[in-house]
PDB file of all heavy atoms in Angstrom:
ATOM      1  N   LYS A 136     -28.151  19.348   5.685  1.00 93.00           N
ATOM      2  CA  LYS A 136     -28.929  18.131   5.455  1.00 93.00           C
ATOM      3  C   LYS A 136     -28.068  16.883   5.525  1.00 93.00           C
ATOM      4  O   LYS A 136     -28.577  15.783   5.743  1.00 93.00           O
ATOM      5  CB  LYS A 136     -29.617  18.212   4.089  1.00 93.00           C
ATOM      6  CG  LYS A 136     -30.615  19.353   3.963  1.00 93.00           C
ATOM      7  CD  LYS A 136     -31.144  19.465   2.539  1.00 93.00           C
ATOM      8  CE  LYS A 136     -32.090  20.653   2.399  1.00 93.00           C
ATOM      9  NZ  LYS A 136     -32.575  20.819   0.994  1.00 93.00           N
ATOM     10  N   LEU A 137     -26.766  17.079   5.340  1.00 93.00           N
ATOM     11  CA  LEU A 137     -25.844  15.938   5.291  1.00 93.00           C
ATOM     12  C   LEU A 137     -25.047  15.743   6.570  1.00 93.00           C
ATOM     13  O   LEU A 137     -25.035  14.652   7.153  1.00 93.00           O
ATOM     14  CB  LEU A 137     -24.871  16.118   4.115  1.00 93.00           C
ATOM     15  CG  LEU A 137     -23.666  15.162   4.095  1.00 93.00           C
ATOM     16  CD1 LEU A 137     -24.136  13.755   3.729  1.00 93.00           C
ATOM     17  CD2 LEU A 137     -22.596  15.648   3.129  1.00 93.00           C
ATOM     18  N   LEU A 138     -24.341  16.793   7.025  1.00 92.00           N
ATOM     19  CA  LEU A 138     -23.312  16.639   8.044  1.00 92.00           C
ATOM     20  C   LEU A 138     -23.814  16.019   9.348  1.00 92.00           C
ATOM     21  O   LEU A 138     -23.129  15.171   9.929  1.00 92.00           O
ATOM     22  CB  LEU A 138     -22.635  17.989   8.318  1.00 92.00           C
ATOM     23  CG  LEU A 138     -21.913  18.595   7.105  1.00 92.00           C
ATOM     24  CD1 LEU A 138     -21.227  19.889   7.486  1.00 92.00           C
ATOM     25  CD2 LEU A 138     -20.896  17.610   6.528  1.00 92.00           C
ATOM     26  N   PRO A 139     -24.984  16.395   9.856  1.00 92.00           N
ATOM     27  CA  PRO A 139     -25.425  15.770  11.114  1.00 92.00           C
ATOM     28  C   PRO A 139     -25.671  14.270  11.002  1.00 92.00           C
ATOM     29  O   PRO A 139     -25.704  13.572  12.018  1.00 92.00           O
ATOM     30  CB  PRO A 139     -26.732  16.518  11.430  1.00 92.00           C
ATOM     31  CG  PRO A 139     -26.612  17.822  10.715  1.00 92.00           C
ATOM     32  CD  PRO A 139     -25.887  17.481   9.445  1.00 92.00           C
ATOM     33  N   THR A 140     -25.834  13.771   9.783  1.00 91.00           N
ATOM     34  CA  THR A 140     -26.077  12.337   9.603  1.00 91.00           C
ATOM     35  C   THR A 140     -24.778  11.533   9.567  1.00 91.00           C
ATOM     36  O   THR A 140     -24.812  10.304   9.652  1.00 91.00           O
ATOM     37  CB  THR A 140     -26.857  12.076   8.305  1.00 91.00           C
ATOM     38  OG1 THR A 140     -26.023  12.400   7.167  1.00 91.00           O
ATOM     39  CG2 THR A 140     -28.119  12.916   8.260  1.00 91.00           C
ATOM     40  N   ILE A 141     -23.632  12.221   9.428  1.00 94.00           N
ATOM     41  CA  ILE A 141     -22.330  11.537   9.460  1.00 94.00           C
ATOM     42  C   ILE A 141     -21.894  11.465  10.916  1.00 94.00           C
ATOM     43  O   ILE A 141     -21.361  12.430  11.474  1.00 94.00           O
ATOM     44  CB  ILE A 141     -21.287  12.269   8.596  1.00 94.00           C
ATOM     45  CG1 ILE A 141     -21.776  12.419   7.151  1.00 94.00           C
ATOM     46  CG2 ILE A 141     -19.951  11.512   8.625  1.00 94.00           C
ATOM     47  CD1 ILE A 141     -20.822  13.186   6.248  1.00 94.00           C
ATOM     48  N   LYS A 142     -22.103  10.342  11.539  1.00 93.00           N
ATOM     49  CA  LYS A 142     -21.928  10.223  12.990  1.00 93.00           C
ATOM     50  C   LYS A 142     -20.474  10.198  13.435  1.00 93.00           C
ATOM     51  O   LYS A 142     -20.188  10.225  14.626  1.00 93.00           O
ATOM     52  CB  LYS A 142     -22.628   8.953  13.484  1.00 93.00           C
ATOM     53  CG  LYS A 142     -24.122   8.925  13.220  1.00 93.00           C
ATOM     54  CD  LYS A 142     -24.836  10.104  13.860  1.00 93.00           C
ATOM     55  CE  LYS A 142     -26.335  10.034  13.659  1.00 93.00           C
ATOM     56  NZ  LYS A 142     -27.040  11.187  14.253  1.00 93.00           N
ATOM     57  N   THR A 143     -19.548  10.158  12.461  1.00 96.00           N
ATOM     58  CA  THR A 143     -18.117  10.150  12.808  1.00 96.00           C
ATOM     59  C   THR A 143     -17.510  11.550  12.777  1.00 96.00           C
ATOM     60  O   THR A 143     -16.400  11.751  13.271  1.00 96.00           O
ATOM     61  CB  THR A 143     -17.348   9.270  11.815  1.00 96.00           C
ATOM     62  OG1 THR A 143     -17.668   9.676  10.477  1.00 96.00           O
ATOM     63  CG2 THR A 143     -17.713   7.803  12.004  1.00 96.00           C
ATOM     64  N   LEU A 144     -18.206  12.528  12.193  1.00 96.00           N
ATOM     65  CA  LEU A 144     -17.636  13.855  11.977  1.00 96.00           C
ATOM     66  C   LEU A 144     -17.437  14.597  13.300  1.00 96.00           C
ATOM     67  O   LEU A 144     -18.383  14.827  14.044  1.00 96.00           O
ATOM     68  CB  LEU A 144     -18.543  14.684  11.073  1.00 96.00           C
ATOM     69  CG  LEU A 144     -17.987  16.033  10.616  1.00 96.00           C
ATOM     70  CD1 LEU A 144     -16.795  15.852   9.681  1.00 96.00           C
ATOM     71  CD2 LEU A 144     -19.067  16.875   9.937  1.00 96.00           C
ATOM     72  N   THR A 145     -16.189  14.977  13.586  1.00 97.00           N
ATOM     73  CA  THR A 145     -15.882  15.694  14.822  1.00 97.00           C
ATOM     74  C   THR A 145     -15.412  17.124  14.581  1.00 97.00           C
ATOM     75  O   THR A 145     -15.554  17.976  15.455  1.00 97.00           O
ATOM     76  CB  THR A 145     -14.785  14.972  15.630  1.00 97.00           C
ATOM     77  OG1 THR A 145     -13.568  14.950  14.868  1.00 97.00           O
ATOM     78  CG2 THR A 145     -15.205  13.549  15.971  1.00 97.00           C
ATOM     79  N   THR A 146     -14.854  17.410  13.401  1.00 98.00           N
ATOM     80  CA  THR A 146     -14.262  18.730  13.139  1.00 98.00           C
ATOM     81  C   THR A 146     -14.744  19.265  11.802  1.00 98.00           C
ATOM     82  O   THR A 146     -14.583  18.623  10.763  1.00 98.00           O
ATOM     83  CB  THR A 146     -12.723  18.639  13.131  1.00 98.00           C
ATOM     84  OG1 THR A 146     -12.273  18.108  14.371  1.00 98.00           O
ATOM     85  CG2 THR A 146     -12.113  20.018  12.928  1.00 98.00           C
ATOM     86  N   LEU A 147     -15.318  20.485  11.842  1.00 98.00           N
ATOM     87  CA  LEU A 147     -15.822  21.133  10.640  1.00 98.00           C
ATOM     88  C   LEU A 147     -15.249  22.538  10.557  1.00 98.00           C
ATOM     89  O   LEU A 147     -15.358  23.321  11.497  1.00 98.00           O
ATOM     90  CB  LEU A 147     -17.355  21.198  10.663  1.00 98.00           C
ATOM     91  CG  LEU A 147     -18.031  21.980   9.525  1.00 98.00           C
ATOM     92  CD1 LEU A 147     -17.738  21.328   8.179  1.00 98.00           C
ATOM     93  CD2 LEU A 147     -19.532  22.071   9.763  1.00 98.00           C
ATOM     94  N   ASP A 148     -14.638  22.868   9.415  1.00 98.00           N
ATOM     95  CA  ASP A 148     -14.079  24.206   9.190  1.00 98.00           C
ATOM     96  C   ASP A 148     -14.787  24.835   7.999  1.00 98.00           C
ATOM     97  O   ASP A 148     -14.621  24.398   6.864  1.00 98.00           O
ATOM     98  CB  ASP A 148     -12.575  24.107   8.924  1.00 98.00           C
ATOM     99  CG  ASP A 148     -11.882  25.470   8.954  1.00 98.00           C
ATOM    100  OD1 ASP A 148     -12.584  26.481   8.782  1.00 98.00           O
ATOM    101  OD2 ASP A 148     -10.654  25.513   9.139  1.00 98.00           O
ATOM    102  N   ILE A 149     -15.593  25.870   8.275  1.00 98.00           N
ATOM    103  CA  ILE A 149     -16.303  26.588   7.215  1.00 98.00           C
ATOM    104  C   ILE A 149     -16.014  28.088   7.326  1.00 98.00           C
ATOM    105  O   ILE A 149     -16.847  28.921   6.999  1.00 98.00           O
ATOM    106  CB  ILE A 149     -17.821  26.306   7.249  1.00 98.00           C
ATOM    107  CG1 ILE A 149     -18.385  26.473   8.658  1.00 98.00           C
ATOM    108  CG2 ILE A 149     -18.129  24.934   6.697  1.00 98.00           C
ATOM    109  CD1 ILE A 149     -19.885  26.276   8.747  1.00 98.00           C
ATOM    110  N   ASN A 150     -14.830  28.424   7.793  1.00 98.00           N
ATOM    111  CA  ASN A 150     -14.482  29.834   7.955  1.00 98.00           C
ATOM    112  C   ASN A 150     -14.271  30.508   6.595  1.00 98.00           C
ATOM    113  O   ASN A 150     -14.072  29.860   5.574  1.00 98.00           O
ATOM    114  CB  ASN A 150     -13.241  29.972   8.861  1.00 98.00           C
ATOM    115  CG  ASN A 150     -11.931  29.897   8.108  1.00 98.00           C
ATOM    116  OD1 ASN A 150     -11.458  30.849   7.492  1.00 98.00           O
ATOM    117  ND2 ASN A 150     -11.316  28.702   8.156  1.00 98.00           N
ATOM    118  N   SER A 151     -14.335  31.835   6.610  1.00 98.00           N
ATOM    119  CA  SER A 151     -14.072  32.652   5.423  1.00 98.00           C
ATOM    120  C   SER A 151     -15.027  32.337   4.273  1.00 98.00           C
ATOM    121  O   SER A 151     -14.609  32.061   3.137  1.00 98.00           O
ATOM    122  CB  SER A 151     -12.611  32.482   4.964  1.00 98.00           C
ATOM    123  OG  SER A 151     -11.715  32.823   5.990  1.00 98.00           O
ATOM    124  N   ASN A 152     -16.311  32.386   4.560  1.00 97.00           N
ATOM    125  CA  ASN A 152     -17.338  32.257   3.540  1.00 97.00           C
ATOM    126  C   ASN A 152     -18.305  33.436   3.673  1.00 97.00           C
ATOM    127  O   ASN A 152     -17.930  34.486   4.189  1.00 97.00           O
ATOM    128  CB  ASN A 152     -18.045  30.907   3.665  1.00 97.00           C
ATOM    129  CG  ASN A 152     -17.209  29.765   3.091  1.00 97.00           C
ATOM    130  OD1 ASN A 152     -16.999  29.691   1.886  1.00 97.00           O
ATOM    131  ND2 ASN A 152     -16.732  28.878   3.957  1.00 97.00           N
ATOM    132  N   ASN A 153     -19.541  33.284   3.212  1.00 97.00           N
ATOM    133  CA  ASN A 153     -20.534  34.356   3.260  1.00 97.00           C
ATOM    134  C   ASN A 153     -21.774  33.913   4.037  1.00 97.00           C
ATOM    135  O   ASN A 153     -22.910  34.168   3.625  1.00 97.00           O
ATOM    136  CB  ASN A 153     -20.930  34.790   1.843  1.00 97.00           C
ATOM    137  CG  ASN A 153     -19.809  35.507   1.123  1.00 97.00           C
ATOM    138  OD1 ASN A 153     -19.196  36.425   1.670  1.00 97.00           O
ATOM    139  ND2 ASN A 153     -19.507  35.085  -0.091  1.00 97.00           N
ATOM    140  N   ILE A 154     -21.555  33.273   5.160  1.00 98.00           N
ATOM    141  CA  ILE A 154     -22.644  32.710   5.956  1.00 98.00           C
ATOM    142  C   ILE A 154     -23.211  33.774   6.893  1.00 98.00           C
ATOM    143  O   ILE A 154     -22.461  34.494   7.549  1.00 98.00           O
ATOM    144  CB  ILE A 154     -22.133  31.513   6.785  1.00 98.00           C
ATOM    145  CG1 ILE A 154     -21.458  30.490   5.870  1.00 98.00           C
ATOM    146  CG2 ILE A 154     -23.279  30.868   7.559  1.00 98.00           C
ATOM    147  CD1 ILE A 154     -20.629  29.468   6.614  1.00 98.00           C
ATOM    148  N   THR A 155     -24.533  33.869   6.953  1.00 97.00           N
ATOM    149  CA  THR A 155     -25.205  34.792   7.858  1.00 97.00           C
ATOM    150  C   THR A 155     -25.922  34.004   8.947  1.00 97.00           C
ATOM    151  O   THR A 155     -25.756  32.783   9.069  1.00 97.00           O
ATOM    152  CB  THR A 155     -26.221  35.670   7.100  1.00 97.00           C
ATOM    153  OG1 THR A 155     -27.354  34.863   6.726  1.00 97.00           O
ATOM    154  CG2 THR A 155     -25.603  36.290   5.852  1.00 97.00           C
ATOM    155  N   ASN A 156     -26.749  34.685   9.735  1.00 97.00           N
ATOM    156  CA  ASN A 156     -27.539  34.013  10.766  1.00 97.00           C
ATOM    157  C   ASN A 156     -28.422  32.907  10.195  1.00 97.00           C
ATOM    158  O   ASN A 156     -28.681  31.899  10.862  1.00 97.00           O
ATOM    159  CB  ASN A 156     -28.430  35.025  11.495  1.00 97.00           C
ATOM    160  CG  ASN A 156     -27.651  35.902  12.449  1.00 97.00           C
ATOM    161  OD1 ASN A 156     -26.478  35.662  12.736  1.00 97.00           O
ATOM    162  ND2 ASN A 156     -28.284  36.951  12.940  1.00 97.00           N
ATOM    163  N   VAL A 157     -28.883  33.105   8.962  1.00 98.00           N
ATOM    164  CA  VAL A 157     -29.754  32.107   8.330  1.00 98.00           C
ATOM    165  C   VAL A 157     -29.034  30.768   8.203  1.00 98.00           C
ATOM    166  O   VAL A 157     -29.570  29.711   8.556  1.00 98.00           O
ATOM    167  CB  VAL A 157     -30.226  32.609   6.950  1.00 98.00           C
ATOM    168  CG1 VAL A 157     -31.010  31.522   6.222  1.00 98.00           C
ATOM    169  CG2 VAL A 157     -31.073  33.859   7.101  1.00 98.00           C
ATOM    170  N   GLY A 158     -27.803  30.804   7.689  1.00 98.00           N
ATOM    171  CA  GLY A 158     -27.031  29.581   7.541  1.00 98.00           C
ATOM    172  C   GLY A 158     -26.629  28.978   8.879  1.00 98.00           C
ATOM    173  O   GLY A 158     -26.672  27.763   9.063  1.00 98.00           O
TER     174      GLY A 158
END
Side-chain angles (χ1 to χ4, degrees):
K136 298 174 183 177
L137 168 72
L138 298 183
T140 68
I141 304 178
K142 299 302 183 181
T143 52
L144 188 67
T145 63
T146 303
L147 174 63
D148 191 339
I149 49 177
N150 88 80
S151 302
N152 282 292
N153 291 311
I154 306 165
T155 72
N156 286 350
V157 174

